[in-house]
Structure formats: C-alpha cells, structure tokens
C-alpha cells in the first residue's frame, strides 16, 4: 500500500460514504451509495475530492476484525496497483473523481476481506453511516427495512433521532392508554329546554363561541367568568424591541360583588384566554371533523374530575357544548409539551406504518431519549403533531382525556385601581390596568407562535390600535385631530374574559402605605411597581421613600411607562440597560488616558486615547443585580428600617437568581456576615414579610 492514502469523506447529510484511494494528483474514488430503505441510488460523478487525511492513529487504535492470511492483503494491493495512473506529473490539475462501484456488492468484490477491512476501519467516522444500507436478509428471515420518516416540515422540526429503527424493530415497555373518561352524545333539540334549562342563554354559533366562554367554566363557583370591555389599548414598546409589551385598560364597572373583596394595588387578575381560532379550525381539519358537526350542539359526558370547569368539584358531568367550544376554551392545545399517552393515542389511530412505528418508538423504553428530546427541545403543539403524523386522526373525545385543562393566566395590575378610576372623563366608570409582554417561540412554519394568553391579548390590542389609527387618519384628512380618542377602538366591543383572581398575593398583601421601599423589576416585572408609586403620590412625596431599579434591554425601545411615574420619577428611578453599547469616543478637548498598550496607535504614531471610566458609566451592558450592589447602602438602610420593604418582580431565570445573589453580597458587605449567615438573614426577612420576591 505504499504511496496510496486511504481516506473517507461524507457528503452533506451523510448521504454518501466514499473510500478514496488517491495516487498522484489524479484521484479515483470507490463509492457506494447508502440508503435508509435498502434501495440503491444511481451513482454520479462527484466533484474534486478533499485533502488526504492526516490521521496518525495506528491500526491497533481502531476496532479490528479477525486477521486473515497475509496473501489476501497482497491481492488487495494488486487490485489497487492496477488503478494507479502511469504518470506522476505533479503540475497537472486535479481531475474529477471516477466511480468504480455503485452498490454494496461491487464494493465487497473490490475490497475483498481480511486485512483490507482492518486497514479501512481507522478512517471510519464511527457513525455507522457505512452500515445504513440494508443487506440481503439471511435465508428464511424477513429483510430489515429502515424506517422512512414522514416527509413534511412539521416532522423535520421535531428533530427526532430514531437511529436504526425499522418497521419490525421490537419495542418494549410501551405506554398503556389510560381509560377514556369523556364521551360525546347526540342531542335532540326538542329535549334541550327540558333537560338543560340553563342552555336558553347559551349561544353555540361560531362568532359567539370565539368571544364568550361557556357558562360551565367556573373559576370560583358559584361565580362565573366576567367579560370585561377593552376601554383602551396601546403598545408600550417601540418598533424593534426584542419583546413587545402592551398596556390595557379594562372596564370592570359591572363586575359583580364577591364577598366584599375588591381590586387592590399589587393584585393579579385571572385572564381566561381562548385558543387561537385559526389553530382550532386547522386542528378540526386535521382530525377530519365535518364542518356541519363543528358547531352542532352535543352532549358532553365525563366520568369524573374537574374538567371542563377550572376549579369545579370533582364529579361526573353532563352538559351541552360544541366541538368548537371544547377546543376553544377547555383544552390546552399549545402550551403543554406532548405526553406519552397522547403519542400512544396518535399511534393507535395512525394508518401509515412508518408514522405508527415512530410514535410507538417514543412511547417505548428504546425511544426514551428521543421522547426526552421532544419534551425539552423546541416547543411542540398538538397542531404540529397532527401535521407531522397526518395519517393519525383520533376522535376528539379521545383527545379530551389526553390533553390538559386550559388554565387561566394571571397578570398583575399595573396601577392602583382607585387611581385608574379617578381619571377625568370616565363618568364614574371603574377601570383596571394591565401590562402584558408577548411570549414567542419558534414554529415549524418558519415563523413564531405566541403564548395562549399573551397571543390572545395581542390580537385584541392590534384590532384596537388599528381602529384608532384609522380614526386618526380620517380626522387628519379633514385637517383636524381625532375628537374622541379611544372611541373607535371601544366601538369594536372587544372583550377580555377574566375574574378578580389573586388580591391577596404577596405583592398586594405586603404593600404598606408607609415605610421606605426598594423596588427591583426587570421587563414587565416593573408594571406592578407603577401602582405602588402612584399610590404613594396620592398621600405624600415619594422622594427618599421609594427607590426603583428598572432593568431593560434598551432605553430607546423597551422602557415601559416612561414619564408616567409622577413628578419625582427622575429622583426615584434608576434604569439599567442590559444591551451593550460602545462607549462614545473621547474628544480632543476631553481628558483621557493616553496609552499605546498592545500596539494601539492613532495616525501619526501618537498613542491611542482610552475612554475614561467616567465616560464608560452606563454605556456598557448592565443588569439589575449590578445596580443592587452599587446601591448597597440604600438597600441595607431600607431592609433594616421599620416597615422597610424590598420587592423583586420578574423572571426567575437570570434576573431572580442574580438579584438574590446580589442581596446576599450586600448583607455580607454591609453587615459583615459570611455567605451562609447572609442567606439566612434574607430568609428571615422573607418570613417577616420585608423581602418579597414575585418571580416566574
């Protein structure tokens, strides 16, 4: 084999496996095409080969097959020598590679057996791609055919790693299907009023179902969900912000009295969002539900549990609904990762053999790794699963048992309700205010999908804002401003299904009308603190009593509620930007540090001017935890004052953990405590209600 270098390259996606035997600059290749499904593709000439391998490993470092007689290696060498070109002209350009083998049988004839196999092994990538072609099965045994994955974008987005799975692979410990607890029954309109007297006010047409939740959804029995009118909506962030945030004014004037509990500053209301109607329609298309059945009233029977109520009693139920209503209001089809019972149900109803085997694989012990990747990877919805496995069309009543209840989303009030309702021109109406950041994740379509709650509210905000923009443009054509701001949006009669929710949550419960406070919030976590500050303004001056540390990405794009915190905003608020920006250049008239360190020089050979620390302040990436450490004196003063409070609101990941670490550093620095004692100090303050962290 002297003068012959063996190496291997793989084409994109490992579709080819080639063994190259270059000698001189003219390279001849031995190629065979692998196939997942046991069929051979037609061979084609490839482009120029890659540089020879520089692997210096020895034969002993790679797995080896049993050695055979030495003369077999001589036979292999003789075959290769016959392929060597006669000229060794180094100046000639490299020629295209030539195909000598087009299938596994031909390459076996060429390579033979014995030492040749041993020599080639050390150039193998180890991924088993050379084994991907199904060999003829032994006599009397079925042929192994590798699984052909479904050919669609939804399946490819799953990123499943099924290895050498075949249609006949033996799978063990497959998840059993749970008992079906939901059934649909026919309903005669003649007996509707007699058996279900409460259905007289229940409207089942498509337009009403998309707006009004069913009466059987009771968040706190006997109270029902209240549809609050959208009184105002606007976007708080600017175009280009990484996350969009919207402000809402909801009219709760007609909200029923519930046990004397009222809306409170720092409280959170529950929003009951419907699923996106376009997604619901697409799922019914995928399930093959006839259009005439989608809005037809049916009897819904359950064997127990709370579903389809939110927090009702656990009992069997019989009620009237429609298939569209069930999918719109009661089933979480978007936010909960797939479960094995759901995949098993899809497998049972899959008609395509490859789809059934892939689904069963994820329900088995052999596919546990693939299932874990599916749960922890990109967000997967029921809609995507039905597109990924289009031959599976289980009945909707069976899906009801496998899917979770669609639960409310809670949003903190962004103002004191009494301040919100004291605006001019409200004519006695009661308003509450919310701030909502839109949550997005990648979708298999190449776009992004929004969260159930935030996506629903964003759709309402877009409609409201669009109506207002049209009204402004119409007024501008007449040379005047819009005489009734907000009226065009309110004319749409947009509604938000909600209930009073949590008015005794930690933020609301521990808010004190007096005493110093440090408010630490990132992103939309700052919203409830706006209510704290405006509440204080009603009674006293906020200066020297409240300090707000607001974390944002970019002050020009996503500083929410800027200029809406009262007359002392500049004194009480410190904005921290996490998006890095380059420090401004040092001007000639400014003092700077001249340094040629690292060979950095300006034109003319003069040392470069370095930005002084005073100019770098606030111009580089910063986080709220950094500012907490810088404001250690204030934090330590407030937490040790009578009725002092430290509030933290925002995301647990990153911000919440970082602030907790910074507070421990403050206690160690200002209190002279060790790390463990400092941690116990803050745990004690949390138990006493002086340190309140509301994170998610």
């Amino acid at each position: 084999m002297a003068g012959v270098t063996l190496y291997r390259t793989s084409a994109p996606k490992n579709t080819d496996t080639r063994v190259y035997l270059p000698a001189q600059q003219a390279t001849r290749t031995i190629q065979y095409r692998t196939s997942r499904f046991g069929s051979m593709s037609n061979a084609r000439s490839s482009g120029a080969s890659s540089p020879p391998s520089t692997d210096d490993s020895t034969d002993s470092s790679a797995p080896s097959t049993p050695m055979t007689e030495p003369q077999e290696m001589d036979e292999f060498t003789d075959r290769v020598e016959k392929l060597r070109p006669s000229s060794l002209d180094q100046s000639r350009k490299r020629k295209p590679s030539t195909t000598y083998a087009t299938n596994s049988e031909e390459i076996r004839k060429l390579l033979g057996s014995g030492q040749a196999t041993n020599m080639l092994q050390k150039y193998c990538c180890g991924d088993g791609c050379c084994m991907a072609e199904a060999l003829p099965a032994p006599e009397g045994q079925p042929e192994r055919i590798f699984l052909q994955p479904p050919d669609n974008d939804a399946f490819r987005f799953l990123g499943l790693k099924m290895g050498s799975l075949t249609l006949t692979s033996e799978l063990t410990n497959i998840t059993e299907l749970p008992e079906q607890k939901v059934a649909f029954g026919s309903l005669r309109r003649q007996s509707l009023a007699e058996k279900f007297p409460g259905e007289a006010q229940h409207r089942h047409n498509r337009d009403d179902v998309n707006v009004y939740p069913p009466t059987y959804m009771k968040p706190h029995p006997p109270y029902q969900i209240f549809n609050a009118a959208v009184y105002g909506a606007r976007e708080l962030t600017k175009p280009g912000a990484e996350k969009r945030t919207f402000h809402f004014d909801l009219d709760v004037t007609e909200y029923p009295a519930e046990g004397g509990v009222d809306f409170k500053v720092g409280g959170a209301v529950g929003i009951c969002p419907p699923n996106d109607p376009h997604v619901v329609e697409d799922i019914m298309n995928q399930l093959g539900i006839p259009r005439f059945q989608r809005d037809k009233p049916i009897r819904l029977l359950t064997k127990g549990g709370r579903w389809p109520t939110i927090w009702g009693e656990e009992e069997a139920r019989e009620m009237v609904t429609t298939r569209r209503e069930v999918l719109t209001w009661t089933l979480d089809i978007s936010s909960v990762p797939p479960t094995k019972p759901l995949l098993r149900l899809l497998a049972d109803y899959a008609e395509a053999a490859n789809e059934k085997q892939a689904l069963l694989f994820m329900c088995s012990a052999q596919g546990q790794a693939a299932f874990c990747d599916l749960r922890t990877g990109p967000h997967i919805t029921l809609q995507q699963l039905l597109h990924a496995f289009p031959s599976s069309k289980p009945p909707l009543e069976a899906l009801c048992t496998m899917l979770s209840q669609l639960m409310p989303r809670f949003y903190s009030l962004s103002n004191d309700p009494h301040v919100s309702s004291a605006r001019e021109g409200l004519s006695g109406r009661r308003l509450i205010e919310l701030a909502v950041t839109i949550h997005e994740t990648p979708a298999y379509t190449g776009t992004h999908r929004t969260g159930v709650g935030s996506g629903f509210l964003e759709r309402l905000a877009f409609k409201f804002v669009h109506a207002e923009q049209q009204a402004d443009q119409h007024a501008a054509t007449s040379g005047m401003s819009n005489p009734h701001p907000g009226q065009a949006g309110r004319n749409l009669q947009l509604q938000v299904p909600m209930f009073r929710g949590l008015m005794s949550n930690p933020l609301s419960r521990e808010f004190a009308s007096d005493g110093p406070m440090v408010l630490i919030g990132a992103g939309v976590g700052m919203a409830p603190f706006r209510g704290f500050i405006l509440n204080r303004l009603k009674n006293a001056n906020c200066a020297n009593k409240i300090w707000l540390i607001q974390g944002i990405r970019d002050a020009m794009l996503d500083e929410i509620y800027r200029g809406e915190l009262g007359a002392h905003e500049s004194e009480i608020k410190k904005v921290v930007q996490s998006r890095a920006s380059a420090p401004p250049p040092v001007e000639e008239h400014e003092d700077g540090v001249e340094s040629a360190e690292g060979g950095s020089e300006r034109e003319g050979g003069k040392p470069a001017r370095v930005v002084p620390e005073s100019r770098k302040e606030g111009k580089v990436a910063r986080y709220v935890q950094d500012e907490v450490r810088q404001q250690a004196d204030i934090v330590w003063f407030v937490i040790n004052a009578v009725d002092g409070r430290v509030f933290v609101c925002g995301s647990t990941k990153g911000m919440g953990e970082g602030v907790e670490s910074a507070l421990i550093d403050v206690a160690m620095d200002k209190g002279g405590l060790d790390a463990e004692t400092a941690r116990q100090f803050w745990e004690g303050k949390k138990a006493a209600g002086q340190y309140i962290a509301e994170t998610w």
Side-chain angles (χ1 to χ4, degrees), residues 236-510:
L236 296 174
T237 50
K238 302 294 189 297
E242 187 170 328
K243 292 185 177 181
R244 302 181 300 279
T245 302
F246 292 89
H247 171 89
F248 292 87
D249 298 312
L250 302 183
D251 190 340
V252 293
T253 306
E254 305 299 328
Y255 195 92
E258 293 179 355
V261 179
D262 201 359
F263 296 98
K264 296 173 59 179
V265 60
V269 296
I271 304 295
C272 297
N275 287 309
D276 187 334
H278 297 291
V279 175
V280 170
E281 191 73 19
D282 185 60
I283 288 177
M284 289 193 289
N285 290 339
Q286 291 300 311
L287 295 177
I289 299 176
R291 294 188 179 277
F292 75 91
Q293 289 186 354
R294 299 180 183 185
D295 300 298
K296 182 179 180 180
I298 56 174
R299 282 195 307 157
L300 172 65
L301 300 98
T302 67
K303 293 184 177 181
R306 290 178 173 177
W307 188 85
T309 68
I310 299 176
W311 290 304
E313 298 295 331
E314 296 197 13
E315 60 185 11
R317 289 179 171 81
E318 182 179 3
M319 57 192 65
V320 178
T321 186
T322 66
R323 290 174 173 83
R324 185 184 305 277
E325 190 173 69
V326 168
L327 274 171
T328 300
W329 294 99
T330 69
L331 298 176
D332 195 333
I333 59 178
S334 298
S335 58
V336 178
T339 62
K340 284 192 175 183
L342 173 61
L343 298 176
R344 175 60 195 277
L345 177 68
L346 295 177
D348 276 15
Y349 286 90
E351 296 180 356
N354 60 334
E355 295 180 18
K356 180 185 288 290
Q357 185 72 342
L359 287 163
L360 289 175
F361 174 68
M362 289 185 285
C363 299
S364 68
Q366 290 74 22
Q368 181 62 35
F371 174 73
C372 290
D373 290 342
L374 186 72
R375 294 269 300 182
T376 58
H379 192 80
I380 306 301
T381 65
L382 174 64
Q383 180 190 24
Q384 179 178 341
L385 286 175
L386 293 175
H387 278 278
F389 304 98
S391 74
S392 180
K393 302 182 184 299
L396 180 58
E397 51 265 48
L399 279 173
C400 292
T401 302
M402 307 302 166
L403 299 175
S404 301
Q405 166 80 47
L406 181 58
M407 298 300 290
R409 272 59 175 168
F410 290 91
Y411 298 95
S412 296
L413 300 181
S414 63
N415 201 352
D416 184 339
H418 299 289
V419 175
S420 302
S421 302
R423 300 186 205 166
E424 296 182 5
L426 288 184
S427 302
R429 308 210 68 79
R430 300 183 62 207
L431 301 182
I432 58 174
E433 301 179 45
L434 309 174
V436 179
T437 292
I438 309 306
H439 175 68
E440 291 184 320
T441 55
Y444 74 94
T445 55
T447 58
H448 286 79
R449 58 164 293 275
T450 57
V452 178
S454 62
F456 163 65
L457 292 171
E458 183 185 40
R459 293 193 295 273
L460 295 182
F462 280 156
K463 292 178 182 178
F464 193 100
V465 171
H466 180 66
E468 285 297 295
Q469 290 174 345
Q470 287 186 320
D472 292 341
Q473 293 172 1
H474 180 72
T477 58
S478 303
M480 56 185 296
S481 60
N482 187 354
H484 303 289
Q487 189 59 50
R490 289 191 284 274
N491 289 341
L492 298 177
Q493 298 183 349
L494 303 175
Q495 314 237 352
V496 176
M498 49 83 65
F499 56 96
R500 182 169 283 124
L502 305 174
M503 293 300 127
S504 60
N505 60 320
L507 287 180
S508 175
R509 186 175 60 250
E510 301 301 340

Side-chain angles (χ1 to χ4, degrees), residues 174-205:
I174 297 176
T175 301
E176 296 292 335
L177 275 177
E179 177 189 6
Q180 183 172 323
K181 297 183 179 180
V182 179
F184 293 163
S186 59
L187 184 68
R188 293 191 306 168
R189 290 188 179 275
Q190 295 82 353
S191 61
L192 182 61
E194 179 182 348
K195 291 186 176 180
F196 305 97
E199 285 298 310
Q201 304 299 323
H202 191 171
R203 293 168 289 190
H204 298 291
N205 64 79

Side-chain angles (χ1 to χ4, degrees), residues 429-658:
R429 308 210 68 79
R430 300 183 62 207
L431 301 182
I432 58 174
E433 301 179 45
L434 309 174
V436 179
T437 292
I438 309 306
H439 175 68
E440 291 184 320
T441 55
Y444 74 94
T445 55
T447 58
H448 286 79
R449 58 164 293 275
T450 57
V452 178
S454 62
F456 163 65
L457 292 171
E458 183 185 40
R459 293 193 295 273
L460 295 182
F462 280 156
K463 292 178 182 178
F464 193 100
V465 171
H466 180 66
E468 285 297 295
Q469 290 174 345
Q470 287 186 320
D472 292 341
Q473 293 172 1
H474 180 72
T477 58
S478 303
M480 56 185 296
S481 60
N482 187 354
H484 303 289
Q487 189 59 50
R490 289 191 284 274
N491 289 341
L492 298 177
Q493 298 183 349
L494 303 175
Q495 314 237 352
V496 176
M498 49 83 65
F499 56 96
R500 182 169 283 124
L502 305 174
M503 293 300 127
S504 60
N505 60 320
L507 287 180
S508 175
R509 186 175 60 250
E510 301 301 340
F511 172 73
S513 59
D514 201 0
M517 294 189 298
V518 172
L519 311 174
I520 306 169
V524 76
M526 172 269 176
F529 298 150
R530 173 173 174 255
F532 287 12
I533 295 170
L534 296 181
N535 178 280
R536 285 290 185 88
L537 282 176
K538 292 190 307 180
N539 305 316
N541 191 327
C542 288
N544 300 322
K545 289 188 177 180
I546 291 183
W547 291 268
L548 170 65
I549 301 176
Q550 180 181 0
I552 58 176
R553 290 179 176 83
D554 190 324
M556 300 299 295
L557 301 178
D558 50 17
E559 183 181 349
I560 65 174
Y561 294 125
R562 185 175 187 175
E564 300 183 33
L565 301 181
H568 299 278
E569 177 172 336
S570 60
E571 302 173 32
I572 66 177
K573 184 174 75 170
K574 176 65 176 179
V575 175
V576 182
Q577 300 183 69
S578 62
R579 179 172 291 173
S581 58
V586 176
E587 302 295 339
E588 289 295 333
H589 66 277
E590 292 183 321
D591 293 332
V593 180
E594 293 188 351
S595 172
E597 185 177 359
S600 175
E601 295 185 353
R602 294 185 299 172
E603 294 181 4
K606 296 181 180 180
R609 298 176 65 83
V610 179
V611 180
E613 291 299 322
S614 60
R615 294 295 307 277
K616 292 183 180 180
E617 181 89 21
K619 299 298 183 181
V620 295
R622 295 280 302 283
Y623 299 94
V624 288
Q625 52 264 40
D626 300 325
E627 188 64 25
V628 168
R629 293 184 176 94
Q630 288 199 14
Q631 303 296 337
D633 290 332
I634 293 177
V635 173
W636 191 245
F637 159 73
V638 169
I639 199 60
N640 288 288
V642 177
D643 285 337
R645 300 283 193 277
V646 173
F647 291 90
V648 179
C649 189
S651 173
T652 301
K653 185 177 181 181
M655 179 268 182
E657 297 170 351

